[in-house]
Amino acid sequence: MSLTQDALWHKDAVIYQVHVRTFSDSNGDGVGDFQGLAQRLDYLQELGINAIWLMPFFPSPLRDDGYDISDYESVHPAYGTLEDFKKFLAGAHERGIRVIIEMVLNHTSDQHPWFQESRSSQNNPRRDWYVWSETDTRYRGTRIIFVDTEMSNWAWDPISKSYYWHRFFSHQPDLNYDNPAVREQMWNVMKFWLEIGVDAFRLDAVPYLVEREGTSCENLPETHAILKELRRKVDQEFPGRMLLAEANQWPADLRPYFGDGDEFHMAFHFPLMPRMFMGLKLEDRKPITEIMQQTPEIPASCQWCLFLRNHDELTLEMVTDMERDYMYDVYAGSKSMRLNLGIRRRLAPLLDNDRRRIELMNGMLMSLPGTPIIYYGDEIGMGDNIYLGDRNGVRTPMQWSGGWNGGFSSADPESLYSPLLLNPVYGYQAVNVLSQKRTEHSLLSWMQRIIRVRRSTRVFGAGSIEFLYPANHRVLAYVRQLGNETVLVVNNVSSSAQAVELDLRRYKGNILIEMFGRNIFPRVGDLPYLLTMGPYQFYWFRLRRI
Ligand code: NOJ
């Protein structure tokens, strides 16, 4: 089966984020690989997702888990071969699953031959492929991102005796996008993968492509011009393929990444995510409604990407200092849970392994405007290991069963790329796919169900949103609408039972059909619509005039 040329597929997608190394090891060397991932496609299809976002799988010294690329046009040998990738891609497509791969435009590894050449001497033809300087005092207005590791965005190169610019680790030199040869080369890299048939790119760290004195070196017009040019080429040569922006910015700075529908198709909604956690802890809808009010309209063909967790720390860059202190206080009591400006924990531990809160957060993820992303393992409530360095604690092997190495690998446990979780609450014997498949009420079964319900209508992906503001501020309620489909979502973000009166006069005469059980609730009349809700409960209702 070939995927239809639906130019708006990204609006109806449910994305599963996975790193090939973490998922399934087919050859017993302790590292997940493409053959292993391909064998798990049936699992993903059953879960109901229809797109996979793969973290970088290219040759790399793996000092930033593959975001430090040393060759853009092949596969890291530990993960298999290009042939294996192509087979995996074909397998995904056969199942109607699209594949989004990572494209790290901003920087390479210092082991990349381009950088090796560039640093080899000041007059090497590739010298100008990176950003060099005689001093480390240029671009002073630029913030440091990995504040726990780096003191400066400049690093000294002892070989060519000058400084090079890097926004992330010092082993990740930034490419120089003022150089047309770099721009052309990176388009060639993208073309290489588009020709192989990938459906989309997540473009890493896009705000930082261009540097200019006297600015923050983020979101510059020159950067947007480069991105627009890439989009133009994609549309021209590969219509229907999609670009997703990783731009960790405030809503007003994010908006330009959509352009007039001529830059990115999608962008992560970074500011919303921490505010969902904040609302839950404060037992108040305000952080969520406030950020949604500040969220600008985007062109009709564009879409937000929503997520609860991913492979990085739960970033607290897009919150105020006070909000950050609060988040640390309530979600990262121990210092070892903190990293840079964020919290390195997974969803289930963040929510005290409380099934009700996990369901509520996923309920909001799937019903607020945007395309949801599920981080691998969160569908079974996997835990984390805060004793592993950097962000590795949220990248432990997928837990398939209670057997040897949790079904991830047949290797000696000592040789795995990362230890499995072993504790009695989150360890693989307690939390795994096999056991959750056996019970209809497991988190996994519930996730399957909510994905199915979400995908039963296009209203969540493409519909408008209007917030209701009932007097009870522990309840977050909104109406999603598309054509003649209207869905009412009501979330109790508090830990206690609540009654709420909703003003639904506009829908007078409609009945409410609860979307999970398909049960009919009373018809809307003249009086405020009264609902009672248990702790952390949520409802999705279809409104019908029958
Ligand atoms: C953002 C990625 O999500 C993160 O994992 C990585 O370390 C940086 N970009 C640098 O590429």
Side-chain angles (χ1 to χ4, degrees), residues 234-255:
V234 169
D235 282 356
Q236 206 167 39
E237 295 182 43
F238 302 93
R241 311 295 177 92
M242 192 273 285
L243 301 178
L244 160 61
E246 192 230 3
N248 192 350
Q249 302 288 330
W250 289 98
D253 293 323
L254 266 168
R255 175 62 186 81

PDB file of all heavy atoms in Angstrom, residues 234-255:
ATOM      1  N   VAL A 234      11.748  21.895  -0.877  1.00  0.00           N
ATOM      2  CA  VAL A 234      11.002  20.677  -0.524  1.00  0.00           C
ATOM      3  C   VAL A 234       9.688  20.652  -1.305  1.00  0.00           C
ATOM      4  O   VAL A 234       9.340  19.658  -1.954  1.00  0.00           O
ATOM      5  CB  VAL A 234      10.734  20.603   1.000  1.00  0.00           C
ATOM      6  CG1 VAL A 234       9.739  19.501   1.318  1.00  0.00           C
ATOM      7  CG2 VAL A 234      12.029  20.397   1.766  1.00  0.00           C
ATOM      8  N   ASP A 235       8.953  21.767  -1.267  1.00  0.00           N
ATOM      9  CA  ASP A 235       7.649  21.813  -1.945  1.00  0.00           C
ATOM     10  C   ASP A 235       7.794  21.587  -3.439  1.00  0.00           C
ATOM     11  O   ASP A 235       6.972  20.923  -4.071  1.00  0.00           O
ATOM     12  CB  ASP A 235       6.973  23.177  -1.727  1.00  0.00           C
ATOM     13  CG  ASP A 235       6.347  23.264  -0.344  1.00  0.00           C
ATOM     14  OD1 ASP A 235       6.391  22.255   0.381  1.00  0.00           O
ATOM     15  OD2 ASP A 235       5.845  24.346   0.003  1.00  0.00           O
ATOM     16  N   GLN A 236       8.864  22.147  -3.984  1.00  0.00           N
ATOM     17  CA  GLN A 236       9.057  22.049  -5.426  1.00  0.00           C
ATOM     18  C   GLN A 236       9.418  20.627  -5.858  1.00  0.00           C
ATOM     19  O   GLN A 236       8.841  20.085  -6.781  1.00  0.00           O
ATOM     20  CB  GLN A 236      10.195  22.983  -5.802  1.00  0.00           C
ATOM     21  CG  GLN A 236      10.133  23.473  -7.210  1.00  0.00           C
ATOM     22  CD  GLN A 236      11.121  24.626  -7.370  1.00  0.00           C
ATOM     23  OE1 GLN A 236      12.235  24.605  -6.816  1.00  0.00           O
ATOM     24  NE2 GLN A 236      10.732  25.630  -8.102  1.00  0.00           N
ATOM     25  N   GLU A 237      10.365  20.047  -5.118  1.00  0.00           N
ATOM     26  CA  GLU A 237      10.881  18.750  -5.569  1.00  0.00           C
ATOM     27  C   GLU A 237      10.243  17.555  -4.883  1.00  0.00           C
ATOM     28  O   GLU A 237      10.261  16.447  -5.413  1.00  0.00           O
ATOM     29  CB  GLU A 237      12.407  18.710  -5.371  1.00  0.00           C
ATOM     30  CG  GLU A 237      13.110  19.731  -6.261  1.00  0.00           C
ATOM     31  CD  GLU A 237      14.616  19.676  -6.110  1.00  0.00           C
ATOM     32  OE1 GLU A 237      15.170  18.576  -6.058  1.00  0.00           O
ATOM     33  OE2 GLU A 237      15.224  20.755  -6.025  1.00  0.00           O
ATOM     34  N   PHE A 238       9.703  17.762  -3.679  1.00  0.00           N
ATOM     35  CA  PHE A 238       9.141  16.634  -2.925  1.00  0.00           C
ATOM     36  C   PHE A 238       7.822  17.038  -2.268  1.00  0.00           C
ATOM     37  O   PHE A 238       7.695  17.039  -1.051  1.00  0.00           O
ATOM     38  CB  PHE A 238      10.132  16.173  -1.844  1.00  0.00           C
ATOM     39  CG  PHE A 238      11.473  15.760  -2.381  1.00  0.00           C
ATOM     40  CD1 PHE A 238      12.515  16.680  -2.453  1.00  0.00           C
ATOM     41  CD2 PHE A 238      11.698  14.457  -2.822  1.00  0.00           C
ATOM     42  CE1 PHE A 238      13.755  16.308  -2.965  1.00  0.00           C
ATOM     43  CE2 PHE A 238      12.934  14.078  -3.318  1.00  0.00           C
ATOM     44  CZ  PHE A 238      13.968  15.006  -3.392  1.00  0.00           C
ATOM     45  N   PRO A 239       6.802  17.377  -3.062  1.00  0.00           N
ATOM     46  CA  PRO A 239       5.546  17.841  -2.469  1.00  0.00           C
ATOM     47  C   PRO A 239       4.965  16.801  -1.513  1.00  0.00           C
ATOM     48  O   PRO A 239       5.088  15.597  -1.756  1.00  0.00           O
ATOM     49  CB  PRO A 239       4.639  18.076  -3.682  1.00  0.00           C
ATOM     50  CG  PRO A 239       5.302  17.399  -4.828  1.00  0.00           C
ATOM     51  CD  PRO A 239       6.760  17.311  -4.521  1.00  0.00           C
ATOM     52  N   GLY A 240       4.357  17.300  -0.433  1.00  0.00           N
ATOM     53  CA  GLY A 240       3.735  16.381   0.544  1.00  0.00           C
ATOM     54  C   GLY A 240       4.670  15.992   1.671  1.00  0.00           C
ATOM     55  O   GLY A 240       4.235  15.389   2.643  1.00  0.00           O
ATOM     56  N   ARG A 241       5.957  16.331   1.549  1.00  0.00           N
ATOM     57  CA  ARG A 241       6.873  16.027   2.655  1.00  0.00           C
ATOM     58  C   ARG A 241       6.778  17.174   3.659  1.00  0.00           C
ATOM     59  O   ARG A 241       6.427  18.297   3.315  1.00  0.00           O
ATOM     60  CB  ARG A 241       8.313  15.882   2.170  1.00  0.00           C
ATOM     61  CG  ARG A 241       8.473  14.967   0.965  1.00  0.00           C
ATOM     62  CD  ARG A 241       8.125  13.518   1.233  1.00  0.00           C
ATOM     63  NE  ARG A 241       8.267  12.771  -0.030  1.00  0.00           N
ATOM     64  CZ  ARG A 241       9.378  12.155  -0.410  1.00  0.00           C
ATOM     65  NH1 ARG A 241      10.430  12.156   0.388  1.00  0.00           N
ATOM     66  NH2 ARG A 241       9.435  11.531  -1.568  1.00  0.00           N
ATOM     67  N   MET A 242       7.169  16.894   4.872  1.00  0.00           N
ATOM     68  CA  MET A 242       6.835  17.831   5.957  1.00  0.00           C
ATOM     69  C   MET A 242       8.074  18.272   6.738  1.00  0.00           C
ATOM     70  O   MET A 242       9.015  17.497   6.892  1.00  0.00           O
ATOM     71  CB  MET A 242       5.845  17.106   6.865  1.00  0.00           C
ATOM     72  CG  MET A 242       5.130  17.917   7.887  1.00  0.00           C
ATOM     73  SD  MET A 242       6.053  18.064   9.410  1.00  0.00           S
ATOM     74  CE  MET A 242       5.845  16.464  10.135  1.00  0.00           C
ATOM     75  N   LEU A 243       8.036  19.519   7.239  1.00  0.00           N
ATOM     76  CA  LEU A 243       9.125  20.042   8.065  1.00  0.00           C
ATOM     77  C   LEU A 243       8.587  20.439   9.444  1.00  0.00           C
ATOM     78  O   LEU A 243       7.610  21.184   9.541  1.00  0.00           O
ATOM     79  CB  LEU A 243       9.765  21.270   7.407  1.00  0.00           C
ATOM     80  CG  LEU A 243      10.366  21.068   6.011  1.00  0.00           C
ATOM     81  CD1 LEU A 243      10.929  22.395   5.482  1.00  0.00           C
ATOM     82  CD2 LEU A 243      11.465  20.001   6.027  1.00  0.00           C
ATOM     83  N   LEU A 244       9.241  19.952  10.466  1.00  0.00           N
ATOM     84  CA  LEU A 244       8.854  20.214  11.855  1.00  0.00           C
ATOM     85  C   LEU A 244       9.985  20.964  12.548  1.00  0.00           C
ATOM     86  O   LEU A 244      11.131  20.517  12.539  1.00  0.00           O
ATOM     87  CB  LEU A 244       8.580  18.868  12.550  1.00  0.00           C
ATOM     88  CG  LEU A 244       8.606  18.785  14.073  1.00  0.00           C
ATOM     89  CD1 LEU A 244       7.551  19.694  14.686  1.00  0.00           C
ATOM     90  CD2 LEU A 244       8.354  17.342  14.524  1.00  0.00           C
ATOM     91  N   ALA A 245       9.658  22.108  13.146  1.00  0.00           N
ATOM     92  CA  ALA A 245      10.695  22.958  13.742  1.00  0.00           C
ATOM     93  C   ALA A 245      10.913  22.665  15.216  1.00  0.00           C
ATOM     94  O   ALA A 245       9.950  22.629  15.986  1.00  0.00           O
ATOM     95  CB  ALA A 245      10.301  24.428  13.597  1.00  0.00           C
ATOM     96  N   GLU A 246      12.180  22.476  15.568  1.00  0.00           N
ATOM     97  CA  GLU A 246      12.516  22.492  16.989  1.00  0.00           C
ATOM     98  C   GLU A 246      13.028  23.889  17.296  1.00  0.00           C
ATOM     99  O   GLU A 246      14.182  24.206  17.046  1.00  0.00           O
ATOM    100  CB  GLU A 246      13.595  21.462  17.327  1.00  0.00           C
ATOM    101  CG  GLU A 246      13.699  21.294  18.843  1.00  0.00           C
ATOM    102  CD  GLU A 246      15.097  21.382  19.428  1.00  0.00           C
ATOM    103  OE1 GLU A 246      16.071  21.635  18.701  1.00  0.00           O
ATOM    104  OE2 GLU A 246      15.231  21.208  20.641  1.00  0.00           O
ATOM    105  N   ALA A 247      12.131  24.719  17.791  1.00  0.00           N
ATOM    106  CA  ALA A 247      12.496  26.097  18.136  1.00  0.00           C
ATOM    107  C   ALA A 247      11.940  26.338  19.533  1.00  0.00           C
ATOM    108  O   ALA A 247      10.742  26.561  19.700  1.00  0.00           O
ATOM    109  CB  ALA A 247      11.899  27.082  17.138  1.00  0.00           C
ATOM    110  N   ASN A 248      12.823  26.246  20.510  1.00  0.00           N
ATOM    111  CA  ASN A 248      12.395  26.386  21.901  1.00  0.00           C
ATOM    112  C   ASN A 248      12.317  27.881  22.212  1.00  0.00           C
ATOM    113  O   ASN A 248      13.282  28.482  22.663  1.00  0.00           O
ATOM    114  CB  ASN A 248      13.403  25.662  22.799  1.00  0.00           C
ATOM    115  CG  ASN A 248      12.901  25.496  24.214  1.00  0.00           C
ATOM    116  OD1 ASN A 248      11.872  26.069  24.590  1.00  0.00           O
ATOM    117  ND2 ASN A 248      13.625  24.723  25.003  1.00  0.00           N
ATOM    118  N   GLN A 249      11.170  28.488  21.920  1.00  0.00           N
ATOM    119  CA  GLN A 249      11.006  29.944  21.969  1.00  0.00           C
ATOM    120  C   GLN A 249       9.630  30.297  22.528  1.00  0.00           C
ATOM    121  O   GLN A 249       8.747  29.451  22.609  1.00  0.00           O
ATOM    122  CB  GLN A 249      11.126  30.524  20.544  1.00  0.00           C
ATOM    123  CG  GLN A 249      12.435  30.215  19.843  1.00  0.00           C
ATOM    124  CD  GLN A 249      13.631  30.972  20.399  1.00  0.00           C
ATOM    125  OE1 GLN A 249      13.479  32.077  20.903  1.00  0.00           O
ATOM    126  NE2 GLN A 249      14.812  30.378  20.338  1.00  0.00           N
ATOM    127  N   TRP A 250       9.460  31.573  22.850  1.00  0.00           N
ATOM    128  CA  TRP A 250       8.158  32.071  23.301  1.00  0.00           C
ATOM    129  C   TRP A 250       7.196  32.099  22.106  1.00  0.00           C
ATOM    130  O   TRP A 250       7.645  32.221  20.952  1.00  0.00           O
ATOM    131  CB  TRP A 250       8.306  33.478  23.873  1.00  0.00           C
ATOM    132  CG  TRP A 250       9.024  33.475  25.186  1.00  0.00           C
ATOM    133  CD1 TRP A 250      10.333  33.735  25.396  1.00  0.00           C
ATOM    134  CD2 TRP A 250       8.470  33.139  26.465  1.00  0.00           C
ATOM    135  NE1 TRP A 250      10.637  33.591  26.726  1.00  0.00           N
ATOM    136  CE2 TRP A 250       9.512  33.240  27.412  1.00  0.00           C
ATOM    137  CE3 TRP A 250       7.189  32.776  26.915  1.00  0.00           C
ATOM    138  CZ2 TRP A 250       9.321  32.981  28.771  1.00  0.00           C
ATOM    139  CZ3 TRP A 250       7.004  32.535  28.274  1.00  0.00           C
ATOM    140  CH2 TRP A 250       8.050  32.639  29.182  1.00  0.00           C
ATOM    141  N   PRO A 251       5.880  32.032  22.395  1.00  0.00           N
ATOM    142  CA  PRO A 251       4.907  31.975  21.287  1.00  0.00           C
ATOM    143  C   PRO A 251       5.120  33.052  20.230  1.00  0.00           C
ATOM    144  O   PRO A 251       5.073  32.771  19.024  1.00  0.00           O
ATOM    145  CB  PRO A 251       3.562  32.136  21.986  1.00  0.00           C
ATOM    146  CG  PRO A 251       3.781  31.648  23.379  1.00  0.00           C
ATOM    147  CD  PRO A 251       5.219  31.950  23.715  1.00  0.00           C
ATOM    148  N   ALA A 252       5.393  34.287  20.661  1.00  0.00           N
ATOM    149  CA  ALA A 252       5.527  35.368  19.673  1.00  0.00           C
ATOM    150  C   ALA A 252       6.733  35.135  18.757  1.00  0.00           C
ATOM    151  O   ALA A 252       6.701  35.490  17.572  1.00  0.00           O
ATOM    152  CB  ALA A 252       5.665  36.703  20.377  1.00  0.00           C
ATOM    153  N   ASP A 253       7.793  34.534  19.286  1.00  0.00           N
ATOM    154  CA  ASP A 253       8.963  34.256  18.444  1.00  0.00           C
ATOM    155  C   ASP A 253       8.792  32.979  17.628  1.00  0.00           C
ATOM    156  O   ASP A 253       9.496  32.758  16.640  1.00  0.00           O
ATOM    157  CB  ASP A 253      10.219  34.134  19.326  1.00  0.00           C
ATOM    158  CG  ASP A 253      10.575  35.461  19.971  1.00  0.00           C
ATOM    159  OD1 ASP A 253      10.406  36.503  19.313  1.00  0.00           O
ATOM    160  OD2 ASP A 253      10.994  35.449  21.145  1.00  0.00           O
ATOM    161  N   LEU A 254       7.882  32.134  18.087  1.00  0.00           N
ATOM    162  CA  LEU A 254       7.634  30.883  17.361  1.00  0.00           C
ATOM    163  C   LEU A 254       6.828  31.127  16.091  1.00  0.00           C
ATOM    164  O   LEU A 254       7.033  30.469  15.073  1.00  0.00           O
ATOM    165  CB  LEU A 254       6.817  29.941  18.244  1.00  0.00           C
ATOM    166  CG  LEU A 254       7.579  28.931  19.090  1.00  0.00           C
ATOM    167  CD1 LEU A 254       6.635  28.289  20.108  1.00  0.00           C
ATOM    168  CD2 LEU A 254       8.200  27.850  18.207  1.00  0.00           C
ATOM    169  N   ARG A 255       5.901  32.079  16.204  1.00  0.00           N
ATOM    170  CA  ARG A 255       4.963  32.316  15.104  1.00  0.00           C
ATOM    171  C   ARG A 255       5.644  32.467  13.738  1.00  0.00           C
ATOM    172  O   ARG A 255       5.208  31.873  12.761  1.00  0.00           O
ATOM    173  CB  ARG A 255       4.065  33.523  15.448  1.00  0.00           C
ATOM    174  CG  ARG A 255       3.112  33.968  14.352  1.00  0.00           C
ATOM    175  CD  ARG A 255       2.127  32.875  13.998  1.00  0.00           C
ATOM    176  NE  ARG A 255       1.314  33.245  12.849  1.00  0.00           N
ATOM    177  CZ  ARG A 255       1.712  33.133  11.586  1.00  0.00           C
ATOM    178  NH1 ARG A 255       2.917  32.670  11.307  1.00  0.00           N
ATOM    179  NH2 ARG A 255       0.886  33.471  10.610  1.00  0.00           N
TER     180      ARG A 255
END
